[in-house]
Coordinates of all heavy atoms in Angstrom, one line a residue:
V1 N -11.9 -18.4 3.5 CA -11.0 -19.2 3.0 C -11.1 -19.3 1.5 O -12.2 -19.4 1.0 CB -11.1 -20.7 3.5 CG1 -10.2 -21.7 2.9 CG2 -11.1 -20.6 5.1
Y2 N -10.0 -19.2 0.8 CA -10.0 -19.0 -0.7 C -9.1 -20.1 -1.2 O -7.9 -20.3 -0.7 CB -9.5 -17.7 -1.1 CG -10.4 -16.5 -0.6 CD1 -10.1 -15.9 0.5 CD2 -11.5 -16.1 -1.4 CE1 -10.9 -14.9 1.0 CE2 -12.3 -15.1 -0.9 CZ -12.1 -14.5 0.3 OH -12.7 -13.5 0.7
V3 N -9.6 -20.9 -2.2 CA -8.7 -21.9 -2.9 C -8.8 -21.8 -4.3 O -9.9 -21.3 -4.8 CB -9.1 -23.4 -2.3 CG1 -8.8 -23.5 -0.8 CG2 -10.5 -23.7 -2.6
T4 N -7.9 -22.3 -5.0 CA -7.9 -22.3 -6.5 C -7.6 -23.8 -6.9 O -7.2 -24.6 -6.2 CB -6.8 -21.4 -7.1 OG1 -5.6 -21.9 -6.7 CG2 -7.0 -20.0 -6.6
T5 N -7.9 -24.0 -8.2 CA -7.8 -25.4 -8.8 C -7.1 -25.3 -10.1 O -7.2 -24.3 -10.8 CB -9.2 -26.0 -8.9 OG1 -9.9 -25.4 -10.0 CG2 -10.0 -26.0 -7.7
W6 N -6.5 -26.4 -10.5 CA -5.9 -26.6 -11.7 C -7.0 -26.7 -12.9 O -6.7 -26.4 -14.0 CB -5.0 -27.8 -11.8 CG -3.7 -27.6 -11.2 CD1 -3.3 -26.6 -10.3 CD2 -2.6 -28.3 -11.3 NE1 -2.1 -26.7 -9.9 CE2 -1.5 -27.8 -10.6 CE3 -2.3 -29.4 -12.2 CZ2 -0.2 -28.3 -10.5 CZ3 -0.9 -30.0 -12.2 CH2 0.0 -29.4 -11.3
S7 N -8.2 -26.8 -12.6 CA -9.3 -26.7 -13.5 C -9.8 -25.3 -13.7 O -10.7 -25.1 -14.5 CB -10.5 -27.7 -13.1 OG -11.0 -27.3 -11.9
G8 N -9.1 -24.3 -13.1 CA -9.4 -23.0 -13.5 C -10.4 -22.3 -12.5 O -10.9 -21.2 -12.7
W9 N -10.8 -22.9 -11.5 CA -11.9 -22.3 -10.6 C -11.3 -21.7 -9.4 O -10.1 -22.2 -8.8 CB -12.8 -23.4 -10.2 CG -13.8 -23.9 -11.2 CD1 -13.5 -24.8 -12.1 CD2 -15.0 -23.3 -11.5 NE1 -14.6 -24.9 -13.0 CE2 -15.5 -24.0 -12.6 CE3 -15.8 -22.2 -10.9 CZ2 -16.8 -23.7 -13.2 CZ3 -17.0 -22.0 -11.5 CH2 -17.5 -22.6 -12.6
V10 N -11.9 -20.7 -8.8 CA -11.6 -20.1 -7.6 C -12.8 -20.2 -6.7 O -13.9 -20.0 -7.0 CB -11.3 -18.5 -7.8 CG1 -11.0 -17.9 -6.5 CG2 -10.2 -18.3 -8.8
Y11 N -12.5 -20.7 -5.5 CA -13.6 -20.8 -4.5 C -13.4 -20.1 -3.3 O -12.3 -20.0 -2.8 CB -13.7 -22.3 -4.1 CG -14.1 -23.3 -5.2 CD1 -13.1 -23.9 -6.0 CD2 -15.4 -23.6 -5.4 CE1 -13.5 -24.8 -7.0 CE2 -15.8 -24.5 -6.4 CZ -14.8 -25.1 -7.2 OH -15.2 -25.9 -8.2
A12 N -14.5 -19.5 -2.7 CA -14.5 -18.9 -1.4 C -15.3 -19.9 -0.5 O -16.5 -20.1 -0.8 CB -15.1 -17.6 -1.4
L13 N -14.7 -20.4 0.6 CA -15.4 -21.2 1.4 C -15.6 -20.5 2.8 O -14.9 -19.8 3.3 CB -14.5 -22.5 1.7 CG -14.0 -23.3 0.5 CD1 -13.1 -24.4 0.9 CD2 -15.1 -23.7 -0.4
R14 N -16.6 -21.0 3.5 CA -16.9 -20.5 4.9 C -16.0 -21.2 5.8 O -15.9 -22.4 5.8 CB -18.4 -20.7 5.2 CG -19.4 -20.0 4.4 CD -20.8 -20.2 4.8 NE -21.8 -19.5 4.1 CZ -22.2 -19.8 2.9 NH1 -21.7 -20.9 2.3 NH2 -23.1 -19.0 2.1
A15 N -15.3 -20.3 6.6 CA -14.3 -20.9 7.5 C -14.9 -21.7 8.6 O -14.4 -22.7 9.2 CB -13.5 -19.7 8.1
S16 N -16.2 -21.5 8.9 CA -16.9 -22.1 10.0 C -17.2 -23.5 9.7 O -17.3 -24.4 10.5 CB -18.2 -21.4 10.3 OG -19.0 -21.3 9.3
N17 N -17.5 -23.9 8.3 CA -17.9 -25.2 8.0 C -17.5 -25.7 6.6 O -17.8 -26.8 6.2 CB -19.5 -25.3 8.1 CG -20.1 -24.3 7.2 OD1 -19.6 -23.8 6.2 ND2 -21.4 -24.2 7.3
G18 N -16.7 -24.9 5.9 CA -16.2 -25.3 4.6 C -17.1 -25.3 3.4 O -16.8 -25.8 2.4
T19 N -18.4 -24.9 3.7 CA -19.2 -24.7 2.5 C -18.9 -23.7 1.6 O -18.2 -22.7 2.0 CB -20.8 -24.6 2.9 OG1 -20.8 -23.4 3.8 CG2 -21.2 -25.9 3.8
I20 N -19.3 -23.7 0.4 CA -19.0 -22.8 -0.7 C -19.8 -21.5 -0.6 O -21.1 -21.6 -0.5 CB -19.1 -23.4 -2.1 CG1 -18.1 -24.5 -2.3 CG2 -18.9 -22.3 -3.1 CD1 -18.4 -25.3 -3.6
R21 N -19.0 -20.4 -0.4 CA -19.7 -19.0 -0.5 C -20.0 -18.6 -1.8 O -21.0 -18.1 -2.1 CB -19.0 -18.0 0.3 CG -19.0 -18.1 1.8 CD -18.2 -17.0 2.5 NE -18.0 -15.8 1.7 CZ -16.8 -15.1 1.8 NH1 -15.9 -15.4 2.5 NH2 -16.7 -13.9 1.1
W22 N -19.0 -18.7 -2.7 CA -19.1 -18.3 -4.1 C -18.0 -19.2 -4.8 O -17.0 -19.7 -4.2 CB -19.0 -16.9 -4.4 CG -17.8 -16.1 -3.8 CD1 -17.8 -15.3 -2.8 CD2 -16.5 -16.0 -4.5 NE1 -16.5 -14.8 -2.6 CE2 -15.8 -15.2 -3.6 CE3 -15.9 -16.5 -5.5 CZ2 -14.5 -14.8 -3.9 CZ3 -14.6 -16.3 -5.8 CH2 -13.9 -15.4 -5.0
Q23 N -18.1 -19.2 -6.3 CA -17.2 -19.8 -7.0 C -17.1 -19.0 -8.3 O -18.0 -18.4 -8.8 CB -17.4 -21.3 -7.4 CG -18.8 -21.5 -8.0 CD -19.1 -22.9 -8.1 OE1 -18.8 -23.7 -7.1 NE2 -19.9 -23.4 -9.2
Y24 N -15.9 -19.0 -8.9 CA -15.6 -18.2 -10.2 C -14.7 -19.0 -11.1 O -13.8 -19.5 -10.7 CB -14.8 -16.9 -9.8 CG -14.3 -16.0 -11.0 CD1 -15.3 -15.3 -11.7 CD2 -13.1 -16.2 -11.4 CE1 -14.8 -14.6 -12.7 CE2 -12.6 -15.4 -12.5 CZ -13.5 -14.6 -13.1 OH -13.0 -13.9 -14.3
D25 N -15.1 -19.1 -12.4 CA -14.4 -19.8 -13.4 C -13.5 -18.8 -14.2 O -14.0 -17.9 -14.8 CB -15.5 -20.5 -14.3 CG -14.7 -21.4 -15.4 OD1 -13.5 -21.5 -15.3 OD2 -15.5 -21.9 -16.3
T26 N -12.2 -19.0 -14.1 CA -11.3 -18.2 -14.8 C -11.2 -18.5 -16.3 O -10.7 -17.8 -17.1 CB -9.9 -18.3 -14.3 OG1 -9.3 -19.7 -14.6 CG2 -9.8 -17.9 -12.8
G27 N -11.9 -19.6 -16.7 CA -11.8 -20.1 -18.1 C -10.5 -20.7 -18.6 O -10.3 -20.9 -19.8
S28 N -9.7 -20.9 -17.6 CA -8.3 -21.5 -17.9 C -8.1 -22.9 -17.7 O -7.0 -23.6 -17.7 CB -7.2 -20.8 -17.1 OG -7.4 -20.9 -15.8
G29 N -9.3 -23.6 -17.6 CA -9.2 -25.0 -17.2 C -8.7 -25.9 -18.3 O -8.2 -27.1 -18.1
G30 N -8.8 -25.5 -19.5 CA -8.3 -26.3 -20.7 C -6.7 -26.3 -20.7 O -6.2 -27.1 -21.4
Q31 N -6.1 -25.4 -20.0 CA -4.7 -25.3 -19.9 C -4.3 -25.9 -18.5 O -4.6 -27.0 -18.2 CB -4.2 -23.9 -20.0 CG -4.4 -23.3 -21.4 CD -3.8 -24.0 -22.5 OE1 -2.5 -24.3 -22.4 NE2 -4.4 -24.3 -23.6
L32 N -3.6 -25.2 -17.7 CA -3.2 -25.7 -16.4 C -3.9 -25.0 -15.3 O -3.5 -25.0 -14.1 CB -1.7 -25.5 -16.2 CG -0.8 -26.4 -17.0 CD1 0.6 -26.1 -16.9 CD2 -1.0 -27.9 -16.7
G33 N -5.0 -24.2 -15.6 CA -5.8 -23.6 -14.7 C -5.2 -22.5 -13.9 O -4.4 -21.7 -14.3
V34 N -5.4 -22.6 -12.6 CA -4.8 -21.6 -11.5 C -3.8 -22.4 -10.7 O -4.1 -23.4 -10.1 CB -5.9 -20.9 -10.7 CG1 -5.3 -20.0 -9.7 CG2 -6.9 -20.3 -11.6
Q35 N -2.6 -21.8 -10.7 CA -1.5 -22.5 -9.9 C -1.0 -21.7 -8.7 O 0.0 -22.0 -8.2 CB -0.4 -23.1 -10.9 CG -0.9 -23.9 -11.9 CD 0.3 -24.3 -12.8 OE1 1.5 -24.2 -12.4 NE2 0.1 -24.8 -13.9
S36 N -1.7 -20.7 -8.5 CA -1.3 -19.7 -7.3 C -2.3 -19.5 -6.4 O -3.5 -19.9 -6.6 CB -0.9 -18.4 -7.9 OG -2.0 -17.8 -8.6
S37 N -2.0 -19.0 -5.3 CA -3.0 -18.7 -4.2 C -3.7 -17.3 -4.5 O -3.2 -16.5 -5.3 CB -2.3 -18.6 -2.9 OG -1.7 -19.8 -2.6
V38 N -4.8 -17.2 -3.9 CA -5.7 -15.9 -4.0 C -5.0 -14.9 -3.1 O -4.7 -15.2 -1.9 CB -7.1 -16.0 -3.6 CG1 -7.9 -14.8 -3.6 CG2 -7.7 -17.1 -4.6
T39 N -4.7 -13.7 -3.5 CA -4.3 -12.5 -2.8 C -5.6 -11.6 -2.3 O -6.3 -11.3 -3.3 CB -3.3 -11.6 -3.4 OG1 -2.2 -12.5 -3.7 CG2 -2.8 -10.6 -2.5
V40 N -5.9 -11.6 -1.1 CA -7.0 -10.7 -0.7 C -6.4 -9.3 -0.1 O -5.5 -9.3 0.7 CB -7.8 -11.4 0.3 CG1 -9.0 -10.5 0.7 CG2 -8.3 -12.7 -0.2
T41 N -6.8 -8.4 -0.7 CA -6.4 -6.9 -0.3 C -7.2 -6.3 0.8 O -8.3 -6.8 1.2 CB -6.5 -6.0 -1.5 OG1 -7.9 -5.7 -1.8 CG2 -5.8 -6.4 -2.7
A42 N -6.7 -5.3 1.4 CA -7.4 -4.7 2.6 C -8.7 -4.1 2.2 O -9.6 -4.0 3.1 CB -6.5 -3.6 3.2
D43 N -8.8 -3.7 0.9 CA -10.1 -3.0 0.5 C -11.1 -4.1 -0.1 O -12.0 -3.7 -0.7 CB -9.9 -1.9 -0.5 CG -9.2 -2.4 -1.8 OD1 -8.7 -3.6 -1.9 OD2 -9.0 -1.6 -2.7
G44 N -10.8 -5.4 0.2 CA -11.8 -6.3 -0.2 C -11.8 -7.0 -1.7 O -12.8 -7.3 -2.1
R45 N -10.6 -6.9 -2.3 CA -10.5 -7.5 -3.6 C -9.7 -8.7 -3.5 O -8.9 -9.0 -2.7 CB -9.8 -6.5 -4.5 CG -10.5 -5.2 -4.7 CD -9.7 -4.2 -5.5 NE -10.5 -3.0 -5.5 CZ -10.8 -2.3 -6.6 NH1 -10.4 -2.7 -7.8 NH2 -11.5 -1.2 -6.5
A46 N -10.1 -9.7 -4.3 CA -9.4 -11.0 -4.5 C -8.6 -11.0 -5.8 O -9.4 -10.9 -6.8 CB -10.4 -12.1 -4.3
L47 N -7.3 -11.2 -5.9 CA -6.6 -11.2 -7.0 C -6.1 -12.6 -7.3 O -5.5 -13.3 -6.4 CB -5.4 -10.3 -7.0 CG -5.8 -8.8 -6.8 CD1 -4.6 -8.0 -6.3 CD2 -6.3 -8.2 -8.1
V48 N -6.2 -13.0 -8.5 CA -5.6 -14.4 -9.0 C -5.2 -14.4 -10.3 O -5.9 -13.8 -11.2 CB -6.6 -15.5 -8.5 CG1 -8.0 -15.4 -9.4 CG2 -6.0 -16.8 -8.7
G49 N -4.1 -15.0 -10.7 CA -3.6 -15.0 -12.0 C -3.9 -16.5 -12.5 O -3.9 -17.4 -11.7
D50 N -3.9 -16.7 -13.8 CA -4.1 -18.0 -14.4 C -3.1 -18.3 -15.4 O -2.2 -17.6 -15.8 CB -5.6 -18.1 -15.0 CG -5.8 -17.3 -16.2 OD1 -4.9 -17.0 -16.9 OD2 -7.0 -17.0 -16.4
S51 N -3.2 -19.7 -15.9 CA -2.1 -20.2 -16.8 C -2.3 -19.6 -18.3 O -1.5 -19.9 -19.0 CB -2.4 -21.7 -17.0 OG -3.6 -22.1 -17.4
L52 N -3.3 -18.9 -18.5 CA -3.6 -18.1 -19.8 C -3.0 -16.7 -19.8 O -3.0 -16.0 -20.8 CB -5.0 -18.1 -20.2 CG -5.7 -19.4 -20.4 CD1 -7.1 -19.3 -20.7 CD2 -5.0 -20.3 -21.5
G53 N -2.4 -16.4 -18.6 CA -1.8 -15.1 -18.6 C -2.7 -13.9 -18.2 O -2.5 -12.8 -18.5
T54 N -3.8 -14.2 -17.6 CA -4.8 -13.3 -17.2 C -4.9 -13.2 -15.7 O -4.9 -14.1 -14.9 CB -6.2 -13.7 -17.7 OG1 -6.2 -13.8 -19.1 CG2 -7.3 -12.6 -17.4
V55 N -4.9 -11.9 -15.3 CA -5.1 -11.5 -13.8 C -6.5 -11.2 -13.7 O -7.0 -10.3 -14.4 CB -4.2 -10.4 -13.3 CG1 -4.4 -10.1 -11.9 CG2 -2.8 -10.8 -13.5
H56 N -7.3 -11.9 -12.7 CA -8.6 -11.5 -12.4 C -8.7 -10.9 -11.1 O -8.2 -11.4 -10.1 CB -9.4 -12.9 -12.4 CG -9.2 -13.7 -13.6 ND1 -10.2 -13.8 -14.5 CD2 -8.2 -14.6 -13.9 CE1 -9.7 -14.6 -15.5 NE2 -8.6 -15.2 -15.1
C57 N -9.5 -9.7 -11.1 CA -9.7 -9.0 -9.8 C -11.2 -9.3 -9.5 O -12.1 -8.8 -10.3 CB -9.4 -7.5 -9.9 SG -9.7 -6.7 -8.4
L58 N -11.4 -9.9 -8.3 CA -12.9 -10.1 -7.9 C -13.2 -9.4 -6.6 O -12.3 -9.1 -5.9 CB -13.0 -11.7 -7.6 CG -12.5 -12.6 -8.7 CD1 -12.5 -14.1 -8.3 CD2 -13.2 -12.4 -10.0
N59 N -14.5 -9.2 -6.4 CA -15.0 -8.7 -5.1 C -14.9 -10.0 -4.2 O -15.4 -11.0 -4.5 CB -16.4 -8.3 -5.2 CG -17.0 -7.8 -4.0 OD1 -16.9 -8.6 -2.9 ND2 -17.6 -6.7 -4.0
A60 N -14.0 -9.8 -3.1 CA -13.8 -11.0 -2.2 C -15.1 -11.3 -1.4 O -15.1 -12.5 -1.1 CB -12.7 -10.5 -1.2
K61 N -16.0 -10.5 -1.3 CA -17.2 -10.9 -0.6 C -18.2 -11.7 -1.5 O -18.8 -12.7 -0.9 CB -17.9 -9.7 0.0 CG -17.2 -9.0 1.1 CD -18.1 -8.0 1.7 CE -17.3 -7.3 2.9 NZ -18.0 -6.2 3.5
N62 N -18.4 -11.5 -2.7 CA -19.4 -12.1 -3.5 C -18.7 -12.7 -4.8 O -19.5 -13.4 -5.5 CB -20.4 -11.2 -3.9 CG -20.0 -10.0 -4.7 OD1 -18.9 -9.9 -5.3 ND2 -20.8 -8.9 -4.6
G63 N -17.5 -12.7 -5.1 CA -16.9 -13.3 -6.2 C -17.2 -12.6 -7.6 O -16.8 -13.1 -8.6
K64 N -17.8 -11.4 -7.7 CA -18.2 -10.8 -8.8 C -16.9 -10.2 -9.5 O -16.0 -9.6 -8.8 CB -19.2 -9.6 -8.6 CG -20.4 -9.9 -8.1 CD -21.2 -10.8 -9.0 CE -22.6 -11.2 -8.5 NZ -23.2 -12.3 -9.2
L65 N -16.7 -10.3 -10.8 CA -15.5 -9.8 -11.4 C -15.5 -8.4 -11.5 O -16.6 -7.7 -11.9 CB -15.6 -10.4 -12.9 CG -14.4 -10.0 -13.8 CD1 -13.2 -10.5 -13.3 CD2 -14.7 -10.4 -15.2
L66 N -14.5 -7.7 -11.1 CA -14.3 -6.2 -11.2 C -13.5 -5.9 -12.4 O -13.8 -4.9 -13.0 CB -13.5 -5.8 -9.9 CG -14.2 -6.1 -8.6 CD1 -13.4 -5.7 -7.4 CD2 -15.6 -5.3 -8.6
W67 N -12.4 -6.6 -12.7 CA -11.6 -6.4 -14.0 C -10.7 -7.6 -14.2 O -10.5 -8.4 -13.3 CB -10.8 -5.1 -13.9 CG -9.9 -4.9 -12.6 CD1 -10.2 -4.2 -11.6 CD2 -8.6 -5.4 -12.5 NE1 -9.2 -4.2 -10.6 CE2 -8.1 -4.9 -11.2 CE3 -7.8 -6.2 -13.3 CZ2 -6.9 -5.2 -10.8 CZ3 -6.5 -6.5 -12.8 CH2 -6.1 -6.1 -11.6
T68 N -10.1 -7.6 -15.4 CA -9.1 -8.6 -15.9 C -8.0 -7.8 -16.6 O -8.3 -6.7 -17.2 CB -9.7 -9.6 -16.8 OG1 -10.1 -9.1 -17.9 CG2 -10.7 -10.6 -16.0
A69 N -6.8 -8.3 -16.4 CA -5.7 -7.7 -17.2 C -4.9 -8.9 -17.8 O -4.5 -9.9 -17.1 CB -4.9 -6.8 -16.4
S70 N -4.5 -8.8 -19.0 CA -3.6 -9.8 -19.7 C -2.2 -9.4 -19.5 O -1.8 -8.3 -19.7 CB -3.9 -9.9 -21.2 OG -3.0 -10.8 -21.8
V71 N -1.4 -10.3 -19.0 CA 0.0 -10.1 -18.8 C 0.9 -10.7 -19.8 O 2.2 -10.7 -19.7 CB 0.5 -10.4 -17.3 CG1 -0.3 -9.4 -16.3 CG2 0.2 -11.8 -17.0
G72 N 0.3 -11.6 -20.7 CA 1.0 -12.2 -21.8 C 1.6 -13.6 -21.5 O 1.7 -14.4 -22.4
D73 N 2.0 -13.9 -20.3 CA 2.6 -15.1 -20.0 C 1.8 -15.7 -18.8 O 1.2 -15.0 -18.1 CB 4.1 -15.0 -19.6 CG 4.9 -14.6 -20.7 OD1 4.8 -15.3 -21.8 OD2 5.8 -13.7 -20.6
P74 N 1.9 -17.2 -18.6 CA 1.2 -17.8 -17.5 C 1.6 -17.2 -16.2 O 2.8 -16.8 -16.0 CB 1.6 -19.2 -17.7 CG 1.9 -19.4 -19.1 CD 2.5 -18.1 -19.5
V75 N 0.6 -17.0 -15.3 CA 0.9 -16.5 -13.9 C 1.1 -17.7 -13.1 O 0.2 -18.4 -12.9 CB -0.2 -15.7 -13.4 CG1 0.0 -15.1 -12.1 CG2 -0.5 -14.4 -14.4
A76 N 2.3 -17.8 -12.4 CA 2.7 -19.0 -11.6 C 2.8 -18.7 -10.2 O 3.3 -19.5 -9.4 CB 3.8 -19.7 -12.3
D77 N 2.6 -17.3 -9.8 CA 2.8 -17.0 -8.4 C 1.7 -16.1 -8.0 O 1.0 -15.5 -8.9 CB 4.2 -16.3 -8.4 CG 4.7 -16.1 -6.9 OD1 4.0 -16.6 -6.0 OD2 5.7 -15.5 -6.6
S78 N 1.5 -15.9 -6.8 CA 0.5 -15.1 -6.2 C 0.8 -13.6 -6.4 O 2.0 -13.3 -6.4 CB 0.3 -15.4 -4.7 OG -0.2 -16.7 -4.6
A79 N -0.1 -12.8 -6.4 CA 0.1 -11.3 -6.5 C 0.7 -10.9 -5.1 O 0.3 -11.3 -4.0 CB -1.1 -10.5 -6.8
H80 N 1.6 -9.9 -5.1 CA 2.2 -9.4 -3.9 C 1.8 -8.0 -3.8 O 2.0 -7.2 -4.7 CB 3.7 -9.5 -3.8 CG 4.1 -11.0 -3.9 ND1 4.1 -11.9 -2.7 CD2 4.4 -11.9 -5.0 CE1 4.5 -13.0 -3.2 NE2 4.7 -13.2 -4.4
I81 N 1.2 -7.5 -2.7 CA 0.7 -6.2 -2.5 C 1.7 -5.5 -1.6 O 2.2 -5.9 -0.5 CB -0.6 -6.1 -1.8 CG1 -1.6 -7.0 -2.6 CG2 -1.2 -4.8 -1.6 CD1 -2.0 -6.5 -4.0

């Protein structure tokens, strides 16, 4: 289970009990944080955009950052694969 917050955090929760598996700070909490859902790809990546115009690609299993890309404008929708 993946959730995002307006304070800029991405959380992965265990579906069995709701405890936190990992958390990642996008650094966008001073603005409007993350306003979209996490997109999880078939190859195990979690993609999320933030209000600062940055797309973050994380390892869906452990939350480690794989890469970021600036798109210039706030990201207000989930990535579509």
Side-chain angles (χ1 to χ4, degrees):
V1 176
Y2 300 90
V3 295
T4 61
T5 69
W6 280 21
S7 61
W9 286 87
V10 180
Y11 293 93
L13 307 176
R14 290 179 182 82
S16 61
N17 60 15
T19 59
I20 296 173
R21 282 184 25 216
W22 56 258
Q23 60 190 34
Y24 172 80
D25 183 7
T26 66
S28 61
Q31 298 295 317
L32 293 175
V34 178
Q35 299 182 21
S36 61
S37 300
V38 176
T39 299
V40 180
T41 65
D43 64 349
R45 295 171 187 236
L47 298 161
V48 64
D50 67 29
S51 60
L52 298 176
T54 303
V55 176
H56 305 259
C57 180
L58 311 172
N59 179 310
K61 289 185 179 183
N62 60 25
K64 299 293 183 191
L65 179 65
L66 300 174
W67 54 261
T68 60
S70 176
V71 296
D73 287 314
V75 179
D77 196 4
S78 302
H80 299 277
I81 307 293

